[in-house]
Amino acid sequence: MEALACIKRVPDTGAKIPLTDDQQSIDTTTLGFTVSPHEECAVEEAVQQVETHGGSTTALTLGPEEASEQLYTAIARGADEGVLLEAGDEEWRPTATARAIADAIEELERKFDLLLFGNESADTENYQVGPRVANELDVPCVTGIKDLEVTDGSAVAKREVTGGSEVYEVPLPAVVAVKEGINSPRYPSMRSRMRAKRQELTRMDPERVDGPTFERIRLEAPETDEGAAEVLGEGPEAAPAVVDVLEDIGVL
Amino acid sequence: MTMVLALVEHEEGRLAETSQQALTLARDLADQEDAPLAAVVFEDDDEQVGFELASYGVTELYRVEHDRLDRYAPDARAATVHQLVDEHDPEAVVAPGSDRGHDVLGRAAARLGVPMAANCVEVTAGDGYEVTRHRWGGSLLEHARIDGSPALLSVAQHEVAAEEAEDGGSLTEHSFTPTLADSDLLVGIDRIEESDEEGVPLEEARVVVGGGRGVGGPEDYDKLEELADLLGGTVGASRAAVNEGWRPHDDQVGLTGAKISPDVYIACGISGAVQHMVGCKGAKNILAINTDPEAAIMENGEYAVVGDLHEVVPAITEAIREG
Ligand SMILES: Cc1cc2nc3c(=O)[nH]c(=O)nc-3n(C[C@H](O)[C@H](O)[C@H](O)COP(=O)(O)OP(=O)(O)OC[C@H]3O[C@@H](n4cnc5c(N)ncnc54)[C@H](O)[C@@H]3O)c2cc1C
């Protein structure tokens, strides 16, 4: 089985999200980078399915040169190869991203049976790249998947809903957009990280095709009520004050 | 005729809460455009739905009827939206920011070749639309202009307060039968599996006791369980704790976990990263228990106890027992 996992490099933000002065992007000078948890699971799922059924896993990302770091991590986690669509530093809209990924898949002349995506990226949360790629390639697509089983030529995918899950059965090839919780991603060892870095990545130069306008004006960090919490006390001696608060709130 | 077209969902025969919120934003948009508000329903519903939609200001209702649409099939829904758009040329299509809302709207956007703005909280008509939308689960806002005919918008859940129309009254019902290809019906729910999980789901719990890396291991969640049980609540966790394998992912609160809205969230040994906080911003009160008085959660919450959770949590449990 040939599996593809599409991932996106995003800043690893902590307790605050700092913005650049022009408010056009996140100020990443002090931040590390990662991929969304959904996409970590997409990579893990691809690797697990290939471990079960044989074949190989390709990790693909569209992003700046630095996104090779995320591809190496995916390789360290068990992917066999990495494909970087070099898109520069600018943020691409999901329409252009999906088109470039679909083009790359065709150009690679690979027949992927399973095309895994994160359900939505951590940063822009557009919820579209997987479905748009499926539409371009004319293959079925399921989203929000937290359980996947592949049997010859088809996939049984489950989506969680209140009180249970919806079960979808789709023929392969298919796009499957997954959510964190579908599996527990492994942590790559130092050795596998070192080894991954020695691997050659496939680099491609995607064409950016922007559809009708969607134009970012600016980003804004919303106001949070910065008022510090009322400190009820220190250590176990605070317990009676906590009980009073719980009574006030009405949960006791 | 221009119009604003809303996709709505039902739960147990009633208009879903998130659809009420989406309709409220869609109506505001229709008012700005001086255009009628139309809605499309897929479920085989009784009359009640018509009344409810009318009270939200919907004047045109498209009931989708098709003998092969007896189950949720997202591509068939997207095809239907596409055909309604071709026929009625709406200015905007608005859906709730629910799993199904995004599932259908994303596919419709792909088919129509138009942009889609997910999780909007505010939309102003003008030169195209100016939208304010969520990024990072709402810990960042994006202001953007979207031009598309139509513009596809989903409405962030629980951000726009649902409000019935002042002059909601009557609506005209139309039956709409889309032309569906076999490929539109390829993806659909084959069956529903009920979960055997017991207890209150995290999303519905009135009290959540959350444990993060500060808990230090799987065993000490017993202390949190005990307190949660006493308060009729449920235990949650941070991603750090889930990654350690101390708790299942089902317990995770945050961006890629559950969004909770309890009366009180007792966050123990959790630092308060933005990705965690977006999952609990719906909590009416946050009580943080943390050894670090400088932890970000101390700024985000209402109440705090500075101390070791391994001592503080059992002390609270005991104090409640002693009553
Ligand atoms: C794209 C993305 C998505 C993410 N999604 C999520 C998500 O859905 N949910 C989520 O939770 N995180 C998420 N994260 C991770 C998030 O950024 C944080 O890393 C995580 O929430 C930290 O968990 P924590 O607070 O338990 O751990 P830490 O940040 O390590 O904090 C531990 C806290 O415990 C305190 N502590 C230590 N010992 C004790 C003690 N004995 N008693 C009391 N206090 C003590 C410390 O002072 C500290 O404040 C995401 C990250 C990214 C990049």
Side-chain angles (χ1 to χ4, degrees):
Chain A
M1 189 180 65
E2 295 301 304
L4 174 76
C6 295
I7 59 179
K8 180 181 186 186
R9 173 181 169 90
V10 297
D12 195 351
T13 55
K16 288 238 157 56
I17 304 186
L19 294 181
T20 53
D21 288 339
D22 65 0
Q23 293 188 303
Q24 289 300 317
S25 56
I26 295 178
D27 180 357
T28 54
T29 38
T30 60
L31 300 176
F33 287 83
T34 180
V35 301
S36 161
H38 296 328
E39 292 146 36
E40 274 179 15
C41 289
V43 172
E44 177 66 30
E45 193 61 29
V47 171
Q48 285 188 15
Q49 294 292 349
V50 166
E51 280 170 354
T52 311
H53 301 281
S56 80
T57 296
T58 303
L60 179 151
T61 191
L62 180 143
E65 162 58 31
E66 291 82 357
S68 49
E69 179 192 341
Q70 278 62 47
L71 289 176
Y72 290 130
T73 305
I75 292 168
R77 291 193 139 119
D80 299 285
E81 40 188 309
V83 178
L84 173 63
L85 309 187
E86 291 181 270
D89 289 328
E90 249 184 78
E91 184 175 286
W92 285 35
R93 295 287 313 148
T95 30
T97 304
R99 175 70 177 274
I101 292 174
D103 286 349
I105 290 169
E106 276 170 3
E107 209 174 304
L108 285 168
E109 291 185 9
R110 293 274 302 277
K111 272 201 68 67
F112 293 112
D113 305 289
L114 205 51
L115 297 93
L116 293 152
F117 290 79
N119 198 55
E120 77 276 359
S121 67
D123 58 344
T124 51
E125 300 185 302
N126 289 306
Y127 294 86
Q128 292 161 53
V129 174
R132 284 189 192 268
V133 169
N135 188 63
E136 296 270 348
L137 299 175
D138 203 15
V139 298
C141 167
V142 283
T143 69
I145 299 307
K146 280 184 88 171
D147 188 272
L148 184 68
E149 214 172 291
V150 174
T151 44
D152 37 30
S154 74
V156 176
K158 296 182 190 171
R159 170 152 87 177
E160 252 174 36
V161 289
T162 322
S165 44
E166 302 172 343
V167 185
Y168 297 86
E169 193 170 337
V170 291
L172 298 180
V175 164
V176 180
V178 303
K179 281 195 178 180
E180 188 182 29
I182 188 172
N183 52 43
S184 311
R186 64 198 77 185
Y187 276 99
S189 65
M190 211 49 204
R191 247 186 79 220
S192 59
R193 278 183 186 280
M194 302 294 283
R195 212 171 32 224
K197 287 255 161 75
R198 288 201 293 270
Q199 188 147 337
E200 230 12 87
L201 301 176
T202 304
R203 287 162 194 274
M204 298 171 88
D205 189 13
E207 187 193 353
R208 178 168 170 174
V209 184
D210 283 310
T213 333
F214 184 103
E215 207 187 327
R216 182 182 62 248
I217 302 169
R218 67 185 170 92
L219 302 178
E220 176 194 346
E223 295 281 317
T224 47
D225 50 288
E226 283 285 316
E230 180 188 335
V231 178
L232 300 175
E234 286 189 23
E237 289 76 49
V242 171
V243 173
D244 288 346
V245 162
L246 295 175
E247 275 170 355
D248 282 350
I249 294 170
V251 294
L252 261 185
Chain B
M1 180 181 68
T2 88
M3 61 158 73
V4 172
L5 180 65
L7 310 187
V8 292
E9 295 165 25
H10 292 90
E11 272 162 16
E12 293 159 10
R14 301 289 315 268
L15 198 53
E17 199 184 346
T18 51
S19 289
Q20 297 173 9
Q21 297 159 0
L23 275 174
T24 305
L25 184 138
R27 187 181 66 239
D28 176 44
L29 210 51
D31 287 348
Q32 290 180 46
E33 303 263 26
D34 208 7
L37 176 61
V40 49
V41 295
F42 291 90
E43 289 94 350
D44 208 17
D45 287 300
D46 53 29
E47 265 174 45
Q48 185 60 31
V49 168
F51 288 127
E52 270 191 287
L53 289 171
S55 71
Y56 276 89
V58 173
T59 55
E60 309 292 326
L61 167 59
Y62 297 95
R63 275 187 193 275
V64 178
E65 280 165 23
H66 196 288
D67 16 330
R68 294 181 71 185
L69 266 185
D70 52 351
R71 57 176 189 167
Y72 171 74
D75 292 309
R77 292 194 177 195
T80 306
V81 171
H82 191 175
Q83 289 164 34
L84 279 168
V85 165
D86 282 348
E87 209 164 291
H88 299 283
D89 201 18
E91 305 279 305
V93 179
V94 179
S98 58
D99 283 348
R100 285 191 176 184
H102 286 139
D103 195 25
V104 174
L105 206 63
R107 292 167 203 257
R111 282 168 184 255
L112 287 159
V114 297
M116 158 185 160
N119 288 331
C120 298
V121 292
E122 213 178 301
V123 183
T124 316
D127 177 16
Y129 290 105
E130 201 174 309
V131 302
T132 305
R133 60 175 297 269
H134 278 180
R135 285 188 175 205
W136 291 98
S139 36
L140 201 60
L141 297 175
E142 174 182 21
H143 298 273
R145 188 158 15 253
I146 180 170
D147 246 345
S149 47
L152 266 48
L153 314 167
S154 77
V155 181
Q157 305 195 49
H158 310 301
E159 287 289 333
V160 176
E163 230 173 85
E164 296 194 351
E166 275 166 23
D167 49 1
S170 61
L171 54 68
T172 314
E173 291 208 18
H174 312 268
S175 136
F176 184 82
T177 304
T179 310
L180 298 178
D182 285 346
S183 58
D184 295 329
L185 295 147
L186 202 54
V187 178
I189 295 179
D190 289 304
R191 56 179 197 279
I192 303 266
E193 275 176 11
E194 278 174 32
S195 94
D196 42 21
E197 293 281 313
E198 281 175 26
V200 198
L202 214 45
E203 284 89 349
E204 289 162 29
R206 282 188 61 217
V207 175
V208 175
V209 182
R213 204 194 307 273
V215 179
E219 306 80 23
D220 285 336
Y221 279 86
D222 291 353
K223 301 190 176 91
L224 275 58
E225 295 273 7
E226 219 178 319
L227 176 60
D229 281 349
L230 211 54
L231 296 167
T234 305
V235 166
S238 73
R239 181 163 185 253
V242 173
N243 276 354
E244 293 286 351
W246 301 341
R247 301 297 292 184
H249 181 267
D250 284 348
D251 284 1
Q252 184 173 315
V253 172
L255 188 61
T256 49
K259 311 282 186 294
I260 59 170
S261 50
D263 290 337
V264 60
Y265 177 45
I266 306 178
C268 312
I270 292 176
S271 62
V274 287
Q275 298 89 359
H276 186 79
M277 299 314 291
V278 296
C280 61
K281 66 179 177 192
K284 293 199 187 76
N285 296 282
I286 295 176
L287 163 63
I289 301 172
N290 203 303
T291 41
D292 176 8
E294 305 282 307
I297 192 135
M298 302 294 207
E299 270 177 33
N300 281 291
E302 277 71 24
Y303 305 101
V305 174
V306 180
D308 185 342
L309 69 94
H310 302 93
E311 296 168 8
V312 178
V313 173
I316 297 170
T317 305
E318 208 181 292
I320 294 172
R321 287 229 171 89
E322 283 168 4

